């Protein structure tokens, strides 16, 4: 059994992205977006994503709509939907997200967005294949 006190685990992570668990059909990832930072505009084809915000304030940009997000909010991003999440506050924007199916390499840890982008461009952040 995997068990996480997810808000506490997410709050303690300084990393931009950390994969906590990868299954055959889903993946659990925590993220910390620094003040002024963002996840980066993207589209996941064939992958649904559910993001739950633990602390901080930000802006969800999903399918051309914008909405403020704060602790306790949850945003669903269906497969094929353009999205970005931007930290608009003075503190880190902390969240956890579930991808279905997995989006990142099992056990991946990226300390910064730049490191995450470089890993993706180099093909080093590919999800496991069954």
């Amino acid at each position: 059994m995997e068990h996480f006190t997810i808000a506490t685990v997410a709050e303690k992570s300084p990393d931009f992205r950390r994969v906590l668990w990868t299954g055959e059909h889903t993946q659990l990832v925590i993220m910390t977006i620094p003040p002024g930072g963002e996840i980066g505009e993207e589209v996941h084809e064939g992958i649904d994503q559910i993001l739950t915000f633990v602390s901080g304030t930000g802006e969800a940009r999903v399918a051309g709509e914008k909405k403020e997000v704060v602790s306790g909010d949850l945003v669903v991003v269906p497969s094929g939907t353009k999205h970005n999440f931007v930290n608009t506050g003075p503190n880190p924007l902390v969240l956890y997200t579930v991808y279905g199916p997995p989006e990142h390499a099992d056990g991946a840890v990226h300390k910064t967005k730049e490191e995450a982008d470089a890993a993706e461009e180099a093909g080093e952040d590919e999800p496991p294949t069954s």
Side-chain angles (χ1 to χ4, degrees):
M1 172 189 348
E2 295 287 338
H3 176 268
F4 301 98
T5 306
I6 192 64
T8 303
V9 171
E11 278 283 329
K12 289 182 178 179
S13 176
D15 301 316
F16 174 75
R17 179 169 48 226
R18 177 178 291 271
V19 175
L20 290 183
W21 180 82
T22 302
E24 184 178 347
H25 304 288
T26 57
Q27 183 173 62
L28 175 62
V29 176
I30 55 177
M31 298 187 75
T32 299
I33 313 304
E38 62 183 85
I39 289 175
E41 189 172 85
E42 57 189 0
V43 174
H44 303 299
E45 295 296 342
I47 298 171
D48 294 321
Q49 185 175 10
I50 300 170
L51 302 95
T52 303
F53 296 85
V54 174
S55 64
T57 56
E59 183 175 78
R61 300 174 183 174
V62 180
E65 294 183 48
K66 295 180 181 180
K67 184 154 181 93
E68 180 183 28
V69 290
V70 297
S71 176
D73 285 352
L74 182 145
V75 176
V76 174
V77 180
S79 169
T81 304
K82 185 184 292 186
H83 62 281
N84 191 8
F85 295 87
V86 179
N87 184 340
T88 58
N91 300 311
L93 179 61
V94 179
L95 63 105
Y96 61 93
T97 182
V98 175
Y99 294 96
E103 167 69 3
H104 299 287
D106 188 27
V109 176
H110 302 120
K111 297 196 179 302
T112 65
K113 180 179 183 337
E114 294 74 24
E115 186 178 300
D117 290 346
E120 287 178 15
E121 288 174 22
E124 298 168 355
D125 188 31
E126 296 298 317
T129 57
S130 34

